[in-house]
Amino acid sequence: MKKMQLIAALQAILPESAILSSKESQKPFECDGLSAYRQLPLLTVLPDTIEQIQAICKLCNQQQIPLVARGAGTGLSGGALPHEEGILLNLAKFNQILSIDIPNRSVRVQPGVRNLAISEAVAQYGLYYAPDPSSQIACTIGGNVAENSGGVHCLKYGLTVHNILELKVVMADGELLTIGSQAYDSAGFDLLALMTGSEGLLGIIVEVTVKLLPKPERTQVILAAFDDVAKAGRAVADIIAAGIIPAGLEMMDKLAIQAAEAFVHAGYPLEAEAILLCEIDGNNEEVSEHIMKVHHVLENSDPISFATAESEQQRNLFWAGRKAAFPAVGRLSPDYYCMDGTIPKQHLAAVLQEIQRLSRHHELAVANVFHAGDGNLHPLILYDANNAGELVKAEHFGADILKLCVQAGGSITGEHGVGIEKIDQMCNQFATDELAQFHSVKAAFDPQGILNPGKAVPTLHRCAELGAMHVHHGELPHPELERF
Amino acid sequence: MADISKTIQQQILTAVETQQPVNLRGGNTKSFLYHAKPGETLSLQAHQGIVNYQPTELVVTAYAGTKLNDLQSTLAEHNQRLPFDPPHFGDDATLGGAIATGLSGSIRPFTGSARDYVLGCRIINGKGQIMQFGGQVMKNVAGYDVSRLMVGAMGSLGVLLEISLKVLPIPASECYLSQSRDTQDALRMMQTLAAQNLPLSGLAYDGKAVHIRLAGAEAAVRAARQKLGGEHHKADVFWTLVNEQQHRFFDGEIPLWRVSVPPATVNLPISGKQLVDWAGGLRWVKTDESAEKIFTLAARHHGHAQLFRTAKLTEIRRQPLNSGLKRLHQQLKQSFDPHGIFNRGQLYPEF
């Protein structure tokens, strides 16, 4: 189908103003938060009813036109990168909170509602929506579900998958399905879990019911500084061993500390090799008891210093440095590349040491910010895109870090998703049979493969060409493919 | 500890070759949930042992045939637990059975369900391929979440070989209270309590009293006990009896239904007896009413029902799926088990 014909077909579904076809009008959507990848779609559509989305899916399915859904475009893995021959489905008009159910502690929202807007809407009832990705002011709940977003509090409160109840999803063929339920579970397979984090490849999320929690009565933060990353790592393990699950447990390394301190003056000790931020929340008595226990642990973990924030103001200041870590690092270098690997915490010191070695090898500096409680590492690789070849160098460095995470028993992505960015690293993490199983799951939902093609799961051919496929059970990968 | 995954894989390959369906079995404690079906029994009991457990990682990996009792006592030695209180229904209950049935105890509304704690698994699909999904880390969004798809799938998508779970510390303190209430008051009270900052780990109603289980930091439990009041019980007898369905409510031959509804749902208008768990979200119903009537009722209240225990032989035990969902289920079954080898008809008669 040619572009003009496609526009004509879409005009039967949508008002003219909801179809963008010029380069200028589509420019804002050529990338998401991973701006190194840019691509204009053939067309962009802005539907405002579920029926329109169903009709768009039907059309795309019949004509085999790629369809990529987009929320706020804050994703960091290029999951919402448009397809050059496809339609970009912009869900910006689906921005309504549909109903608030206080007795059941749930909220039904359209996918374009911002994460933070949900908590704001229910704050008056003493409730909130727990997952808080750092982009929560801007990112939308539809995108959160597609990426299974986390945040700094997921050690205690879980990821998106743990905090949603029901989805309405338009399938590739246009059928509208309800997945999950308003109850705590639903009949049949756990399709809710399968949909969560499927990066727009299995269906278009058009409605989300999220679960609410009572707002913690009190929150306290302890800041501890160490002269050795390994000591900080041990303190993390000791806090967990003491039977405490902090709401947040964050670590920063020296370069990240220095960058943050220069930027927001949070009071971080500049001589430290690592700092830990340990946040305890809950009801008043629980927080007091756990803060005492954490103090006891820290006294025995040989820190340079540690202190509990004495006021709300100081608590915010302690956090300000961590929250500003990315822009702070951005001041050190024209560009930075944010990675998102996870590792078992016990390997933290060894992995950080290896990252430093890789940093010297690739001749690029790296600052490390770490959700230490759940093993999620965000190395920020500093580079200058104006220097020829530096982006490629940064990408190679990043790929090496992700390989290292897989070797340590971890994963190539903890919360940012695979998207287009880490598609090649998927060949490191999964074997042929596993990737084939993913493709087969995809085909069960979207037999024509129109939804977000080319993302999240690499073709077997791509992995074979990369030569990066891991050898599974001693078998050579892809015996069916030619080698050259 | 024994890794017999290669032997099991061989059995599956043979089953594929001979087109012989298999019925996967762990400790045989939850077989009342399954129908008697033609097919050879493939026992996974010998595939047992803890593969990896680092308490400070909050992650344990074990073979599916590992006894729940063994796993839980190992965790308890390190002051940790499975935070979803899986019912055992017998000493031989295995980890694989707990995950395949996906059942969670009274703690579910407060700390989460079996599927919430699954981080990864190793399975054999219906082509006899051994595959690994998810991992042994808390956060992992690489690839589709196949591990959680296995939870509650009743073994119909593959053989669970190995499962990694997130675990949590055992709370420093627990306390058990009860307060007499009529049904309406009880349901209302549960919603009020669940919306507050209380260290709750159970809210149930047995027809006479609301039972409250508190768990958490010592000071928090003490303060909550003072605030809530009511009769204090020294031990968690009620909670254990409910979890294991040994409470006298579960006695007798009348069919037992499990009805899952939004927690604030009114008392279900149906004949028979009810026991409310999950802070209102789970209604155990003992009734002779027809399946059709119960399914309709559950759907009207935005929930679903399952015939949990019955003396009669019947295939229709779970809330019917609408045509779109049924097709998706069949396609997924086809994707994982193209020859229809595993636990045929155990989840739904159609596959």
Side-chain angles (χ1 to χ4, degrees), chain A residues 171-208:
Chain A
M171 305 303 288
D173 63 5
E175 182 165 11
L176 180 67
L177 291 184
T178 299
I179 284 172
S181 84
Q182 302 286 329
Y184 284 115
D185 53 21
S186 56
F189 295 142
D190 198 333
L191 300 178
L192 189 67
L194 193 59
M195 279 303 302
T196 311
S198 62
E199 303 198 20
L201 271 77
L202 301 184
I204 306 291
I205 296 156
V206 295
E207 194 183 298
V208 185

mmCIF file of all heavy atoms in Angstrom, chain A residues 171-208:
data_model
loop_
_atom_site.group_PDB
_atom_site.id
_atom_site.type_symbol
_atom_site.label_atom_id
_atom_site.label_comp_id
_atom_site.label_asym_id
_atom_site.label_seq_id
_atom_site.Cartn_x
_atom_site.Cartn_y
_atom_site.Cartn_z
ATOM 1 N N MET A 171 -5.562 -6.367 20.259
ATOM 2 C CA MET A 171 -4.645 -7.327 19.644
ATOM 3 C C MET A 171 -4.325 -6.885 18.210
ATOM 4 O O MET A 171 -5.004 -6.027 17.637
ATOM 5 C CB MET A 171 -5.281 -8.717 19.625
ATOM 6 C CG MET A 171 -5.739 -9.204 21.002
ATOM 7 S SD MET A 171 -4.410 -9.243 22.202
ATOM 8 C CE MET A 171 -3.499 -10.653 21.584
ATOM 9 N N ALA A 172 -3.313 -7.527 17.636
ATOM 10 C CA ALA A 172 -2.879 -7.142 16.292
ATOM 11 C C ALA A 172 -4.029 -7.207 15.291
ATOM 12 O O ALA A 172 -4.104 -6.401 14.367
ATOM 13 C CB ALA A 172 -1.745 -8.060 15.846
ATOM 14 N N ASP A 173 -4.976 -8.139 15.481
ATOM 15 C CA ASP A 173 -6.076 -8.263 14.522
ATOM 16 C C ASP A 173 -7.251 -7.343 14.856
ATOM 17 O O ASP A 173 -8.303 -7.413 14.232
ATOM 18 C CB ASP A 173 -6.550 -9.724 14.438
ATOM 19 C CG ASP A 173 -7.114 -10.225 15.757
ATOM 20 O OD1 ASP A 173 -7.236 -9.435 16.723
ATOM 21 O OD2 ASP A 173 -7.448 -11.427 15.851
ATOM 22 N N GLY A 174 -7.080 -6.493 15.863
ATOM 23 C CA GLY A 174 -8.104 -5.514 16.193
ATOM 24 C C GLY A 174 -9.044 -5.948 17.307
ATOM 25 O O GLY A 174 -9.851 -5.146 17.790
ATOM 26 N N GLU A 175 -8.935 -7.196 17.748
ATOM 27 C CA GLU A 175 -9.829 -7.654 18.815
ATOM 28 C C GLU A 175 -9.437 -7.005 20.155
ATOM 29 O O GLU A 175 -8.261 -6.871 20.480
ATOM 30 C CB GLU A 175 -9.756 -9.185 18.929
ATOM 31 C CG GLU A 175 -10.711 -9.704 19.983
ATOM 32 C CD GLU A 175 -10.951 -11.209 19.897
ATOM 33 O OE1 GLU A 175 -10.213 -11.887 19.156
ATOM 34 O OE2 GLU A 175 -11.872 -11.683 20.594
ATOM 35 N N LEU A 176 -10.458 -6.620 20.918
ATOM 36 C CA LEU A 176 -10.210 -6.019 22.236
ATOM 37 C C LEU A 176 -10.321 -7.100 23.306
ATOM 38 O O LEU A 176 -11.354 -7.753 23.434
ATOM 39 C CB LEU A 176 -11.236 -4.913 22.495
ATOM 40 C CG LEU A 176 -11.129 -4.175 23.830
ATOM 41 C CD1 LEU A 176 -9.848 -3.350 23.908
ATOM 42 C CD2 LEU A 176 -12.343 -3.278 24.053
ATOM 43 N N LEU A 177 -9.254 -7.303 24.074
ATOM 44 C CA LEU A 177 -9.279 -8.319 25.128
ATOM 45 C C LEU A 177 -9.052 -7.685 26.493
ATOM 46 O O LEU A 177 -8.324 -6.702 26.619
ATOM 47 C CB LEU A 177 -8.185 -9.368 24.895
ATOM 48 C CG LEU A 177 -8.324 -10.314 23.706
ATOM 49 C CD1 LEU A 177 -7.192 -11.331 23.730
ATOM 50 C CD2 LEU A 177 -9.676 -11.032 23.717
ATOM 51 N N THR A 178 -9.667 -8.297 27.516
ATOM 52 C CA THR A 178 -9.394 -7.899 28.890
ATOM 53 C C THR A 178 -8.454 -8.949 29.472
ATOM 54 O O THR A 178 -8.754 -10.140 29.450
ATOM 55 C CB THR A 178 -10.696 -7.838 29.696
ATOM 56 O OG1 THR A 178 -11.537 -6.860 29.094
ATOM 57 C CG2 THR A 178 -10.426 -7.434 31.135
ATOM 58 N N ILE A 179 -7.327 -8.499 29.967
ATOM 59 C CA ILE A 179 -6.307 -9.410 30.496
ATOM 60 C C ILE A 179 -6.083 -9.087 31.962
ATOM 61 O O ILE A 179 -5.946 -7.927 32.319
ATOM 62 C CB ILE A 179 -5.031 -9.281 29.637
ATOM 63 C CG1 ILE A 179 -5.261 -10.032 28.310
ATOM 64 C CG2 ILE A 179 -3.810 -9.806 30.363
ATOM 65 C CD1 ILE A 179 -4.200 -9.850 27.282
ATOM 66 N N GLY A 180 -6.068 -10.138 32.805
ATOM 67 C CA GLY A 180 -6.042 -9.914 34.243
ATOM 68 C C GLY A 180 -7.475 -9.674 34.698
ATOM 69 O O GLY A 180 -8.429 -9.950 33.962
ATOM 70 N N SER A 181 -7.645 -9.162 35.916
ATOM 71 C CA SER A 181 -9.009 -8.877 36.385
ATOM 72 C C SER A 181 -8.931 -7.848 37.500
ATOM 73 O O SER A 181 -7.846 -7.468 37.934
ATOM 74 C CB SER A 181 -9.687 -10.149 36.880
ATOM 75 O OG SER A 181 -9.331 -10.416 38.222
ATOM 76 N N GLN A 182 -10.119 -7.410 37.961
ATOM 77 C CA GLN A 182 -10.144 -6.459 39.074
ATOM 78 C C GLN A 182 -9.879 -7.187 40.395
ATOM 79 O O GLN A 182 -9.698 -6.562 41.424
ATOM 80 C CB GLN A 182 -11.499 -5.753 39.134
ATOM 81 C CG GLN A 182 -11.868 -4.995 37.862
ATOM 82 C CD GLN A 182 -11.090 -3.700 37.691
ATOM 83 O OE1 GLN A 182 -10.719 -3.060 38.664
ATOM 84 N NE2 GLN A 182 -10.810 -3.335 36.456
ATOM 85 N N ALA A 183 -9.870 -8.512 40.358
ATOM 86 C CA ALA A 183 -9.565 -9.305 41.548
ATOM 87 C C ALA A 183 -8.044 -9.518 41.621
ATOM 88 O O ALA A 183 -7.307 -9.040 40.774
ATOM 89 C CB ALA A 183 -10.296 -10.634 41.480
ATOM 90 N N TYR A 184 -7.583 -10.278 42.626
ATOM 91 C CA TYR A 184 -6.142 -10.464 42.802
ATOM 92 C C TYR A 184 -5.537 -11.413 41.777
ATOM 93 O O TYR A 184 -4.326 -11.480 41.623
ATOM 94 C CB TYR A 184 -5.826 -10.970 44.208
ATOM 95 C CG TYR A 184 -5.907 -9.900 45.262
ATOM 96 C CD1 TYR A 184 -6.860 -9.957 46.269
ATOM 97 C CD2 TYR A 184 -5.029 -8.825 45.246
ATOM 98 C CE1 TYR A 184 -6.934 -8.974 47.238
ATOM 99 C CE2 TYR A 184 -5.093 -7.839 46.221
ATOM 100 C CZ TYR A 184 -6.049 -7.915 47.213
ATOM 101 O OH TYR A 184 -6.110 -6.941 48.163
ATOM 102 N N ASP A 185 -6.364 -12.219 41.119
ATOM 103 C CA ASP A 185 -5.831 -13.090 40.067
ATOM 104 C C ASP A 185 -6.919 -13.295 39.023
ATOM 105 O O ASP A 185 -8.007 -12.724 39.136
ATOM 106 C CB ASP A 185 -5.313 -14.421 40.639
ATOM 107 C CG ASP A 185 -6.337 -15.135 41.499
ATOM 108 O OD1 ASP A 185 -7.551 -14.850 41.353
ATOM 109 O OD2 ASP A 185 -5.938 -15.979 42.319
ATOM 110 N N SER A 186 -6.651 -14.070 38.007
ATOM 111 C CA SER A 186 -7.652 -14.266 36.968
ATOM 112 C C SER A 186 -7.601 -15.693 36.459
ATOM 113 O O SER A 186 -6.655 -16.431 36.751
ATOM 114 C CB SER A 186 -7.434 -13.268 35.828
ATOM 115 O OG SER A 186 -6.133 -13.397 35.328
ATOM 116 N N ALA A 187 -8.621 -16.067 35.691
ATOM 117 C CA ALA A 187 -8.712 -17.443 35.199
ATOM 118 C C ALA A 187 -7.696 -17.673 34.083
ATOM 119 O O ALA A 187 -7.405 -16.771 33.311
ATOM 120 C CB ALA A 187 -10.126 -17.702 34.695
ATOM 121 N N GLY A 188 -7.166 -18.886 34.020
ATOM 122 C CA GLY A 188 -6.284 -19.251 32.915
ATOM 123 C C GLY A 188 -4.839 -18.839 33.134
ATOM 124 O O GLY A 188 -4.396 -18.617 34.257
ATOM 125 N N PHE A 189 -4.112 -18.753 32.022
ATOM 126 C CA PHE A 189 -2.690 -18.399 32.089
ATOM 127 C C PHE A 189 -2.513 -16.974 32.610
ATOM 128 O O PHE A 189 -3.386 -16.127 32.442
ATOM 129 C CB PHE A 189 -2.061 -18.462 30.692
ATOM 130 C CG PHE A 189 -2.017 -19.832 30.089
ATOM 131 C CD1 PHE A 189 -2.252 -20.027 28.731
ATOM 132 C CD2 PHE A 189 -1.733 -20.952 30.860
ATOM 133 C CE1 PHE A 189 -2.204 -21.289 28.159
ATOM 134 C CE2 PHE A 189 -1.683 -22.226 30.305
ATOM 135 C CZ PHE A 189 -1.925 -22.387 28.945
ATOM 136 N N ASP A 190 -1.344 -16.705 33.177
ATOM 137 C CA ASP A 190 -1.050 -15.368 33.682
ATOM 138 C C ASP A 190 -0.605 -14.471 32.516
ATOM 139 O O ASP A 190 0.565 -14.127 32.375
ATOM 140 C CB ASP A 190 0.032 -15.429 34.763
ATOM 141 C CG ASP A 190 0.049 -14.168 35.605
ATOM 142 O OD1 ASP A 190 -0.352 -13.106 35.078
ATOM 143 O OD2 ASP A 190 0.452 -14.235 36.775
ATOM 144 N N LEU A 191 -1.580 -14.100 31.693
ATOM 145 C CA LEU A 191 -1.272 -13.272 30.524
ATOM 146 C C LEU A 191 -0.890 -11.851 30.935
ATOM 147 O O LEU A 191 -0.206 -11.149 30.199
ATOM 148 C CB LEU A 191 -2.470 -13.241 29.567
ATOM 149 C CG LEU A 191 -2.904 -14.608 29.027
ATOM 150 C CD1 LEU A 191 -4.120 -14.453 28.127
ATOM 151 C CD2 LEU A 191 -1.772 -15.265 28.265
ATOM 152 N N LEU A 192 -1.338 -11.458 32.119
ATOM 153 C CA LEU A 192 -0.995 -10.127 32.619
ATOM 154 C C LEU A 192 0.526 -10.014 32.772
ATOM 155 O O LEU A 192 1.133 -9.016 32.394
ATOM 156 C CB LEU A 192 -1.692 -9.880 33.958
ATOM 157 C CG LEU A 192 -1.609 -8.469 34.518
ATOM 158 C CD1 LEU A 192 -2.385 -7.490 33.658
ATOM 159 C CD2 LEU A 192 -2.136 -8.420 35.946
ATOM 160 N N ALA A 193 1.139 -11.065 33.317
ATOM 161 C CA ALA A 193 2.597 -11.069 33.474
ATOM 162 C C ALA A 193 3.281 -11.098 32.109
ATOM 163 O O ALA A 193 4.292 -10.428 31.893
ATOM 164 C CB ALA A 193 3.035 -12.274 34.313
ATOM 165 N N LEU A 194 2.710 -11.856 31.194
ATOM 166 C CA LEU A 194 3.322 -11.971 29.873
ATOM 167 C C LEU A 194 3.265 -10.641 29.112
ATOM 168 O O LEU A 194 4.212 -10.256 28.430
ATOM 169 C CB LEU A 194 2.613 -13.071 29.074
ATOM 170 C CG LEU A 194 3.298 -13.542 27.796
ATOM 171 C CD1 LEU A 194 4.690 -14.078 28.084
ATOM 172 C CD2 LEU A 194 2.459 -14.594 27.092
ATOM 173 N N MET A 195 2.145 -9.942 29.244
ATOM 174 C CA MET A 195 1.993 -8.649 28.559
ATOM 175 C C MET A 195 2.936 -7.602 29.141
ATOM 176 O O MET A 195 3.455 -6.746 28.427
ATOM 177 C CB MET A 195 0.557 -8.127 28.724
ATOM 178 C CG MET A 195 -0.482 -8.705 27.793
ATOM 179 S SD MET A 195 -0.125 -8.508 26.045
ATOM 180 C CE MET A 195 0.015 -6.742 25.894
ATOM 181 N N THR A 196 3.125 -7.673 30.481
ATOM 182 C CA THR A 196 3.942 -6.650 31.150
ATOM 183 C C THR A 196 5.408 -6.819 30.724
ATOM 184 O O THR A 196 5.962 -7.899 30.863
ATOM 185 C CB THR A 196 3.813 -6.766 32.674
ATOM 186 O OG1 THR A 196 2.429 -6.841 33.001
ATOM 187 C CG2 THR A 196 4.431 -5.567 33.371
ATOM 188 N N GLY A 197 5.970 -5.766 30.206
ATOM 189 C CA GLY A 197 7.363 -5.840 29.748
ATOM 190 C C GLY A 197 7.505 -6.409 28.354
ATOM 191 O O GLY A 197 8.615 -6.729 27.935
ATOM 192 N N SER A 198 6.400 -6.541 27.608
ATOM 193 C CA SER A 198 6.513 -7.137 26.271
ATOM 194 C C SER A 198 6.824 -6.082 25.203
ATOM 195 O O SER A 198 6.825 -6.384 24.010
ATOM 196 C CB SER A 198 5.250 -7.927 25.928
ATOM 197 O OG SER A 198 4.131 -7.079 25.902
ATOM 198 N N GLU A 199 7.079 -4.866 25.615
ATOM 199 C CA GLU A 199 7.649 -3.821 24.762
ATOM 200 C C GLU A 199 6.830 -3.554 23.494
ATOM 201 O O GLU A 199 7.388 -3.309 22.418
ATOM 202 C CB GLU A 199 9.106 -4.146 24.416
ATOM 203 C CG GLU A 199 9.969 -4.335 25.668
ATOM 204 C CD GLU A 199 11.471 -4.237 25.394
ATOM 205 O OE1 GLU A 199 11.849 -3.664 24.368
ATOM 206 O OE2 GLU A 199 12.249 -4.719 26.233
ATOM 207 N N GLY A 200 5.511 -3.631 23.634
ATOM 208 C CA GLY A 200 4.655 -3.277 22.495
ATOM 209 C C GLY A 200 4.632 -4.299 21.385
ATOM 210 O O GLY A 200 4.164 -4.014 20.289
ATOM 211 N N LEU A 201 5.128 -5.516 21.648
ATOM 212 C CA LEU A 201 5.185 -6.546 20.604
ATOM 213 C C LEU A 201 3.987 -7.483 20.616
ATOM 214 O O LEU A 201 3.783 -8.240 19.668
ATOM 215 C CB LEU A 201 6.473 -7.385 20.740
ATOM 216 C CG LEU A 201 7.694 -6.841 19.991
ATOM 217 C CD1 LEU A 201 8.308 -5.686 20.742
ATOM 218 C CD2 LEU A 201 8.717 -7.933 19.748
ATOM 219 N N LEU A 202 3.217 -7.477 21.713
ATOM 220 C CA LEU A 202 2.137 -8.463 21.816
ATOM 221 C C LEU A 202 0.745 -7.847 21.680
ATOM 222 O O LEU A 202 -0.219 -8.558 21.395
ATOM 223 C CB LEU A 202 2.233 -9.224 23.151
ATOM 224 C CG LEU A 202 3.531 -9.992 23.417
ATOM 225 C CD1 LEU A 202 3.443 -10.772 24.723
ATOM 226 C CD2 LEU A 202 3.885 -10.932 22.270
ATOM 227 N N GLY A 203 0.625 -6.566 21.906
ATOM 228 C CA GLY A 203 -0.683 -5.929 21.817
ATOM 229 C C GLY A 203 -0.560 -4.453 22.145
ATOM 230 O O GLY A 203 0.491 -3.999 22.615
ATOM 231 N N ILE A 204 -1.638 -3.696 21.887
ATOM 232 C CA ILE A 204 -1.637 -2.268 22.210
ATOM 233 C C ILE A 204 -2.438 -2.091 23.498
ATOM 234 O O ILE A 204 -3.627 -2.409 23.558
ATOM 235 C CB ILE A 204 -2.319 -1.448 21.087
ATOM 236 C CG1 ILE A 204 -1.676 -1.741 19.717
ATOM 237 C CG2 ILE A 204 -2.275 0.042 21.419
ATOM 238 C CD1 ILE A 204 -0.276 -1.241 19.532
ATOM 239 N N ILE A 205 -1.773 -1.606 24.534
ATOM 240 C CA ILE A 205 -2.431 -1.419 25.828
ATOM 241 C C ILE A 205 -3.299 -0.168 25.755
ATOM 242 O O ILE A 205 -2.793 0.926 25.495
ATOM 243 C CB ILE A 205 -1.375 -1.276 26.940
ATOM 244 C CG1 ILE A 205 -0.582 -2.579 27.053
ATOM 245 C CG2 ILE A 205 -2.025 -0.914 28.264
ATOM 246 C CD1 ILE A 205 0.785 -2.403 27.640
ATOM 247 N N VAL A 206 -4.605 -0.328 25.966
ATOM 248 C CA VAL A 206 -5.497 0.832 25.844
ATOM 249 C C VAL A 206 -6.163 1.212 27.166
ATOM 250 O O VAL A 206 -6.853 2.231 27.243
ATOM 251 C CB VAL A 206 -6.568 0.611 24.737
ATOM 252 C CG1 VAL A 206 -5.893 0.515 23.370
ATOM 253 C CG2 VAL A 206 -7.415 -0.616 25.006
ATOM 254 N N GLU A 207 -5.979 0.397 28.186
ATOM 255 C CA GLU A 207 -6.497 0.751 29.510
ATOM 256 C C GLU A 207 -5.746 -0.061 30.557
ATOM 257 O O GLU A 207 -5.396 -1.215 30.322
ATOM 258 C CB GLU A 207 -7.991 0.417 29.575
ATOM 259 C CG GLU A 207 -8.699 1.047 30.756
ATOM 260 C CD GLU A 207 -10.163 0.622 30.809
ATOM 261 O OE1 GLU A 207 -10.909 0.932 29.865
ATOM 262 O OE2 GLU A 207 -10.534 -0.049 31.793
ATOM 263 N N VAL A 208 -5.490 0.567 31.711
ATOM 264 C CA VAL A 208 -4.730 -0.095 32.765
ATOM 265 C C VAL A 208 -5.432 0.123 34.102
ATOM 266 O O VAL A 208 -5.815 1.246 34.421
ATOM 267 C CB VAL A 208 -3.291 0.487 32.871
ATOM 268 C CG1 VAL A 208 -2.465 -0.283 33.890
ATOM 269 C CG2 VAL A 208 -2.596 0.513 31.514
#
